[in-house]
Amino acid sequence: MASINSYLTFNGNCREAMIFYRDCLGGELTLETIGESWAEDKMPSVMKRSIMHAILAKDELVIMGTDMVEERGLIKGNSISLMLNCNSEEEAKAYYHKLSAGGRASHPLQETFGGALFGDLTDRFGNNWLINYDKNR
């Protein structure tokens, strides 16, 4: 079956963001700069340290990212969120605390009518996260 992974676009701070996510969530982080890629000779030298492609992987969790922004620039919106389904209440609380550091904890974790623990936040890079732990699954 096909799968969908999150692919985030940053404006020069992909390395910082992906290291932050690794520190919050754990996993193995791979960063490829433009200077290490096929595009090295096609891009201005000032961009050689920019991230061409980043992958953070931990079990089934995969987050990808890049500093490669279209000419029109980076447009942030609220139409996309990263849904993080947790395996325990403790894990949900720990991830919520770490990811909201320096960001905005817009909806603190609380129990829903269905028995799940749910909350949302915007991290310090402007990305929206939904944190969920379903006690009934």
Side-chain angles (χ1 to χ4, degrees), residues 50-127:
S50 296
I51 300 299
M52 175 72 131
H53 185 65
I55 301 173
L56 175 63
K58 178 184 177 189
D59 303 322
E60 299 298 316
L61 173 71
V62 177
I63 300 173
M64 294 183 236
T66 187
D67 278 324
M68 301 300 293
V69 179
E70 297 178 28
E71 281 187 44
R72 64 187 176 122
L74 186 63
I75 300 169
K76 290 278 187 181
N78 61 359
S79 63
I80 297 177
S81 296
L82 298 167
M83 175 68 131
L84 188 56
N85 289 301
C86 301
N87 294 314
S88 71
E89 186 172 330
E90 294 76 24
E91 184 179 56
K93 288 179 179 178
Y95 286 155
Y96 190 92
H97 176 74
K98 290 176 185 178
L99 288 165
S100 64
R104 185 172 53 90
S106 47
H107 181 253
L109 286 171
Q110 51 188 263
E111 196 163 319
T112 67
F113 64 91
L117 188 63
F118 180 83
D120 63 73
L121 62 100
T122 303
D123 70 27
R124 69 183 196 206
F125 301 99
N127 292 308

